[in-house]
């Protein structure tokens, strides 16, 4: 959980190189990491999002935050450092509309497993696990994808992706602006 007041940072948009490569593992657990997580929560809130990966504010680090309801409606507010995504074995896909702060103004149907969980550590290097159902399951998968350099539009057919990105380029940025 956030322990300091964070400062909202601008959201990076599709096309920024930091969004399209695997993020670096976090190896130092210090005040700078604590401030990063606080800034991520503040940035996510300013952009009215439910999840945010570090590279979405231009930081090359395997960290994400969520403030998202699970399948039962219970709100989960958490952060994960160096997350590892775990998906169910016999995975049927639920198709639902998905959007992204880094691709503002557009949404598309994406198929994802109905459940997932992540393991990783917290700000202090202590083990954490977040189990997700409903929107939280999607959020865990979406943010884990970000840290691997993949955005939800990259999962779409090329023609659909091109149309969405063209529409998104016309949309105003979300959150704070530089």
């Amino acid at each position: 959980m956030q322990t300091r007041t964070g400062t909202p940072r601008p959201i990076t948009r599709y096309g920024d190189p930091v969004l399209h490569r695997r993020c670096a593992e976090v190896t130092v657990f210090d005040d700078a990491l604590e401030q990063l997580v606080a800034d991520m929560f503040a940035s996510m809130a300013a952009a009215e999002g439910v999840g945010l990966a570090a590279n979405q504010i231009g930081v090359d680090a395997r960290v994400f935050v969520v403030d998202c309801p699970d399948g039962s409606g219970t709100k989960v507010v958490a952060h994960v450092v160096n997350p590892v995504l775990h998906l169910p074995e016999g995975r049927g896909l639920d198709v639902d509309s998905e959007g992204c702060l880094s691709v503002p103004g557009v949404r598309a149907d994406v198929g994802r497993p109905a459940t997932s969980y992540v393991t990783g550590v917290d700000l202090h290097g202590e083990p954490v696990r977040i189990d997700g159902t409903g929107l939280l399951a999607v959020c865990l998968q979406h943010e884990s994808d970000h840290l691997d350099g993949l955005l939800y539009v990259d999962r779409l057919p090329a023609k659909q992706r091109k149309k969405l990105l063209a529409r998104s380029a016309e949309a105003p940025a979300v959150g704070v602006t530089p």
Side-chain angles (χ1 to χ4, degrees):
M1 178 66 73
Q2 177 178 350
T3 58
R4 329 181 154 179
T5 301
T7 302
R9 301 189 198 179
I11 304 295
T12 56
R13 289 182 78 139
Y14 189 94
D16 188 307
V18 74
L19 291 174
H20 302 284
R21 64 177 180 259
R22 181 177 168 83
C23 290
E25 296 286 325
V26 173
T27 57
V28 178
F29 296 81
D30 59 5
D31 288 347
L33 178 62
E34 184 177 334
Q35 189 62 55
L36 171 63
V37 170
D39 289 355
M40 290 173 66
F41 274 112
S43 301
M44 178 178 61
E48 299 180 4
V50 295
L52 187 78
N55 57 351
Q56 288 185 274
I57 58 169
V59 178
D60 183 7
R62 294 190 68 78
V63 181
F64 72 71
V65 298
V66 294
D67 184 345
C68 183
D70 67 11
S72 71
T74 301
K75 185 175 179 177
V76 176
V77 179
H79 71 276
V80 185
V81 178
N82 298 331
V84 175
L85 177 66
H86 304 270
L87 299 172
E89 289 203 18
R91 41 183 150 151
L93 300 180
D94 284 351
V95 177
D96 204 354
S97 179
E98 198 165 322
C100 180
L101 299 176
S102 293
V103 188
V106 296
R107 299 183 68 80
D109 286 345
V110 178
R112 296 201 187 258
T115 63
S116 62
Y117 70 93
V118 294
T119 55
V121 296
D122 68 11
L123 291 171
H124 310 290
E126 297 298 320
V128 296
R129 174 178 166 150
I130 303 172
D131 291 274
T133 58
L135 182 58
L136 181 59
V138 171
C139 195
L140 297 176
Q141 294 169 63
H142 181 109
E143 301 311 328
S144 293
D145 275 357
H146 269 299
L147 300 180
D148 289 334
L150 185 70
L151 284 78
Y152 87 95
V153 292
D154 297 326
R155 295 183 171 279
L156 302 173
K159 190 173 185 178
Q160 182 183 10
R161 178 175 54 249
K162 185 176 179 180
K163 285 181 182 179
L164 285 174
L165 291 174
R167 285 189 14 232
S168 178
E170 303 293 320
V174 295
V176 297
T177 54

